[in-house]
Amino acid sequence: MSFDAKHFLKTVSESPGVYRMLDAEGNVLYVGKAKRLKARLASYFRGALNAKTQALVSRIEDIQVTITRTETEALLLEQTLIKEQRPPYNILLRDDKSYPFIFVSDRHPYPALEFKRARQKRGDGRYLGPFPSTTAVRESLSLMQKIFRIRNCEDSVFAHRTRPCLQYQIQRCSAPCVDYIGREEYQRDIDHAIMCLEGRSEQVTAQLTRDMETASQALDFEEAARLRDQIQQLRRLQERQIVDTGDGDADIFALAERPGGLCISALAVRGGRMLGARHHMPQNGLDLTAEALLGEFISHYYLGHEREIPAEVITALPLADSNVIQAALSERAGKRIRLAHQVRGHRAQWLRLAETNAEQHLTTQLANRSQLAKRFASLRDAMQLQETPTRLECFDISHSHGEATVASCVVFDQDGPVKSDYRRFNIEGVAAGDDYAAMRQALTRRYKRLTQDDSKLPDILIVDGGKGQLNMAREVLEDVGITGTHLLGVAKGTTRKPGLETLFLETVDNSLALDSASPGLHLIQHIRDEAHRFAITGHRQQRDKQRRTSTLQDIPGIGPKRRRELLRFFGGLQGVRQASRDELARVPGISAQMATTIHQALHG
């Protein structure tokens, strides 16, 4: 069966990452990186392509993606995979001598940051690098010139300038060619740029923060504002630099589980740099808990195969036999191995990345067309329908003690979720906590509109609730005059465990019993969970709408001292608003929990 690009692209993330194109035998044809995976991969399957790209696309049987936190990390991982797997359609460098450098001259009084393809033997200056690609060098040069206003002109042009060029006008150069900046001050900017390129931007930020406070106390507000802008730009640069910590060897394991499938992603990190992710989809025939399953998988992963065991193994879940597994791994490796699931700092970021990759890969696999066809056919047989349904709609209600009640409607067809047809309804005029009235209002608004617009109606309407919600749905369909739509109510079991739901078909007297392994039940659970997720997201947006206008003074637990530290660290309120949770947690006196509180208060 040929590769179904249209269906595959529906499941691809918009995040940055790396993709590997595979042929029918599972061999890697091409490795690429993207700022937005979905947009980049879509470009291969539309528009005019050159002959070589057409030849590549014609051989694709599968595409595997690895999500990264930033485009910079994707670039580093791409180069690692190319060097390791040597795909035939990639440009392969002969050795590391071809990697580019950044050069700073020792002989010029106002040196520039220059691009160099190879390191020269003569000692005429300093070489920084090598960098993984020319793109990495040019991005780094652009950043340094923007932040520190380093010149980028040729020496011959510099020597003959009589007035500043356009780079000075747009504040990308301090104009040393016409003595607008002293030699010592310019050299300080060069030193700061070099420190940032070496990964020591925290030291630069600390110095600039002190300079900003000094300028502010001296009432030189223009200089203080310039330094504030530099600090904010450096904070964003530091977020990019987290991708390569230069420290730590670890394997990180995360498990994602949904009705009908599970995925365990193994992320490999060596020397602080991510080397790639591998995805495994084991069968859970004994219906083990996620913790037990992950423990068995890790034991088999290392002890059942000859694999390198890193100094640290990080898991997303606590393992029941963690002490036994840790002892066995240590004995096999001949050194102490640390097994951990509660980690902080960059290790916590690795863990979140592994969890994201597991969720993404599982989503892609469950959305496979053959899997969906099997699920729809199973549901048809279970409901004893003459034809396979082509459109399902599911409703759910979400609120907090009656506050900001929101109803969701999600739509599935035989290709999976149809997100363009999703709808949310802000429920108004009903008593707090009256889910029946909220469901009635949402269903009435939805199906009155569909009948008035003569739009496509669902073959099956699923309501997340028990007998009362099913009766409510039947009354609404009768009121608006809809016939031919089958009703299905989903009531959670006493333990709320997936697989123990009670299903009601058409009426509360007609229950439907499905085995926990039934693909039809997995389809119902999938659309029910999606409706629940969509409802909760809408409810939170409604509930937190007012918080987005919060200032630091309005946040509980943020007193004058913490406000001062936040503003000092980020150079102002704008910098605080732009900071991520991880960046906020790096401020002195701000814990990870407090960082989350601040981020939610400012962003909702």
Side-chain angles (χ1 to χ4, degrees):
M1 186 176 68
S2 61
F3 181 68
D4 189 344
K6 182 178 179 181
H7 186 69
F8 168 77
L9 290 171
K10 287 184 177 181
T11 67
V12 179
S13 170
E14 293 280 1
S15 303
V18 172
Y19 55 91
R20 299 187 302 145
M21 295 176 169
L22 310 178
D23 64 13
E25 287 74 39
N27 300 316
V28 179
L29 298 171
Y30 182 77
V31 174
K33 64 96 177 171
K35 184 177 183 180
R36 293 171 56 225
L37 281 166
K38 189 166 192 171
R40 181 69 185 97
L41 288 169
S43 69
Y44 286 99
F45 302 101
R46 62 169 178 249
L49 301 174
N50 61 43
K52 289 187 177 181
T53 305
Q54 288 178 2
L56 166 64
V57 172
S58 67
R59 295 179 60 186
I60 294 174
E61 290 294 331
D62 190 19
I63 299 177
Q64 296 181 356
V65 301
T66 300
I67 296 173
T68 60
R69 289 166 291 189
T70 65
E71 188 181 9
T72 307
E73 186 173 53
L75 176 64
L76 295 170
L77 177 56
E78 176 198 34
Q79 297 301 318
T80 300
L81 293 176
I82 289 173
K83 193 171 181 180
E84 173 189 308
Q85 301 177 353
R86 304 184 67 80
Y89 284 88
N90 281 96
I91 298 172
L92 302 177
L93 302 179
R94 288 172 298 175
D95 53 39
D96 288 348
K97 294 178 182 177
S98 299
Y99 280 69
F101 294 81
I102 291 177
F103 172 70
V104 184
S105 173
D106 287 340
R107 301 181 179 179
H108 199 286
Y110 297 98
L113 299 176
E114 303 177 53
F115 176 98
K116 293 286 186 181
R117 173 58 70 178
R119 187 195 300 265
Q120 302 294 327
K121 292 184 178 180
R122 62 181 185 274
D124 57 346
R126 183 171 182 180
Y127 288 84
L128 303 169
F131 287 78
S133 73
T134 58
T135 304
V137 174
R138 299 195 191 284
E139 286 179 352
S140 299
L141 287 175
S142 178
L143 271 173
M144 293 303 100
Q145 287 159 358
K146 182 177 180 180
I147 296 173
F148 297 109
R149 300 191 295 175
I150 307 296
R151 74 178 182 92
N152 64 352
C153 57
E154 298 288 340
D155 289 350
S156 58
V157 174
F158 178 91
H160 295 92
R161 293 296 306 183
T162 57
R163 59 179 181 175
C165 66
L166 180 62
Q167 291 293 313
Y168 172 77
Q169 302 295 336
I170 63 174
Q171 298 185 2
R172 295 291 292 268
C173 178
S174 53
C177 55
V178 290
D179 296 327
Y180 278 20
I181 186 173
R183 184 171 177 177
E184 288 185 4
E185 190 177 356
Y186 184 85
Q187 186 60 48
R188 184 192 62 187
D189 290 337
I190 284 285
D191 292 340
H192 285 166
I194 291 173
M195 291 172 69
C196 289
L197 290 169
E198 292 177 336
R200 295 184 289 151
S201 55
E202 285 283 5
Q203 298 177 30
V204 179
T205 306
Q207 179 60 53
L208 293 178
T209 301
R210 290 192 291 269
D211 293 344
M212 179 183 69
E213 292 176 345
T214 301
S216 179
Q217 291 171 1
L219 305 183
D220 188 353
F221 298 119
E222 185 175 344
E223 176 66 10
R226 186 183 71 81
L227 292 169
R228 177 204 61 202
D229 294 341
Q230 282 189 330
I231 291 168
Q232 292 176 353
Q233 290 168 332
L234 280 174
R235 292 296 176 201
R236 289 191 285 273
L237 174 63
Q238 286 157 6
E239 179 67 15
R240 298 183 185 187
Q241 288 179 335
I242 290 173
V243 305
D244 187 2
T245 63
D247 178 47
D249 292 343
D251 284 345
I252 303 96
F253 295 88
L255 183 146
E257 186 173 15
R258 293 186 201 163
L262 62 90
C263 174
I264 296 177
S265 284
L267 199 72
V269 175
R270 298 294 183 270
R273 178 172 295 180
M274 189 175 78
L275 301 184
R278 290 290 181 270
H279 310 293
H280 309 267
M281 302 194 71
Q283 297 296 321
N284 190 7
L286 299 178
D287 198 22
L288 299 174
T289 64
E291 292 82 356
L293 181 65
L294 187 58
E296 282 200 4
F297 177 85
I298 290 173
S299 298
H300 181 69
Y301 186 83
Y302 290 114
L303 305 178
H305 299 82
E306 290 295 330
R307 297 183 190 273
E308 174 198 4
I309 305 178
E312 190 170 20
V313 175
I314 300 171
T315 62
L317 300 169
L319 307 184
D321 298 325
S322 58
N323 292 335
V324 176
I325 296 174
Q326 180 172 291
L329 295 181
S330 299
E331 183 176 342
R332 169 63 66 89
K335 60 182 180 182
R336 184 180 182 277
I337 303 299
R338 179 173 180 254
L339 186 63
H341 77 277
Q342 292 182 328
V343 289
R344 302 170 63 182
H346 56 267
R347 284 169 173 76
Q349 293 184 342
W350 294 339
L351 185 55
R352 284 196 294 271
L353 194 58
E355 292 170 338
T356 300
N357 275 279
E359 288 287 347
Q360 171 65 35
H361 189 75
L362 181 58
T363 298
T364 301
Q365 294 303 309
L366 292 180
N368 180 279
R369 177 164 286 179
S370 62
Q371 284 272 10
L372 282 167
K374 183 179 178 182
R375 289 182 169 194
F376 271 82
S378 173
L379 183 59
R380 176 201 62 204
D381 296 340
M383 296 179 63
Q384 298 181 355
L385 304 178
Q386 292 183 350
E387 297 182 356
T388 303
T390 59
R391 185 179 179 91
L392 279 61
E393 294 191 3
C394 182
F395 282 75
D396 191 22
I397 304 293
S398 179
H399 58 78
S400 293
H401 305 292
E403 175 195 1
T405 304
V406 172
S408 70
C409 170
V410 302
V411 181
F412 275 37
D413 63 13
Q414 293 182 335
D415 288 331
V418 186
K419 295 193 175 182
S420 60
D421 289 353
Y422 283 18
R423 295 292 183 271
R424 287 197 187 101
F425 303 91
N426 295 325
I427 304 301
E428 300 174 349
V430 301
D434 189 348
D435 287 358
Y436 294 150
M439 181 67 77
R440 176 186 287 277
Q441 183 179 130
L443 291 168
T444 302
R445 288 165 60 183
R446 170 69 171 171
Y447 293 113
K448 272 190 175 181
R449 170 64 64 85
L450 291 185
T451 53
Q452 289 171 359
D453 297 345
D454 197 23
S455 299
K456 187 173 182 179
L457 296 171
D459 297 316
I460 301 175
L461 169 59
I462 301 171
V463 290
D464 185 16
K467 299 178 180 180
Q469 297 288 32
L470 185 67
N471 288 331
M472 185 69 66
R474 188 173 62 255
E475 291 176 10
V476 171
L477 293 186
E478 291 174 355
D479 290 344
V480 298
I482 292 178
T483 59
T485 293
H486 299 280
L487 284 173
L488 190 64
V490 185
K492 299 180 180 66
T494 54
T495 62
R496 306 180 72 88
K497 183 178 179 181
L500 299 180
E501 297 90 350
T502 302
L503 306 179
F504 299 100
L505 180 59
E506 303 296 352
T507 67
V508 297
D509 299 324
N510 185 18
S511 61
L512 183 65
L514 293 180
D515 186 84
S516 61
S518 166
L521 179 60
H522 296 160
L523 177 60
I524 295 170
Q525 291 169 335
H526 188 181
I527 191 171
R528 187 270 315 275
D529 292 346
E530 180 69 358
H532 187 58
R533 178 201 64 80
F534 195 57
I536 286 178
T537 303
H539 162 64
R540 286 174 176 167
Q541 289 175 352
Q542 280 290 100
R543 184 192 62 193
D544 299 334
K545 192 172 183 179
Q546 190 172 359
R547 291 185 184 180
R548 293 179 187 145
T549 61
S550 299
T551 60
L552 295 180
Q553 290 91 335
D554 301 325
I555 302 174
I558 301 297
K561 184 176 180 180
R562 281 177 171 156
R563 285 201 302 271
R564 185 168 59 252
E565 287 292 342
L566 284 163
L567 296 172
R568 181 176 179 272
F569 192 87
F570 293 105
L573 182 59
Q574 184 179 2
V576 179
R577 289 184 181 278
Q578 294 173 346
S580 67
R581 288 180 176 85
D582 294 326
E583 288 179 306
L584 290 168
R586 290 158 58 195
V587 177
I590 303 297
S591 65
Q593 183 176 359
M594 180 59 69
T596 300
T597 300
I598 296 169
H599 194 272
Q600 289 178 344
L602 295 178
H603 300 278

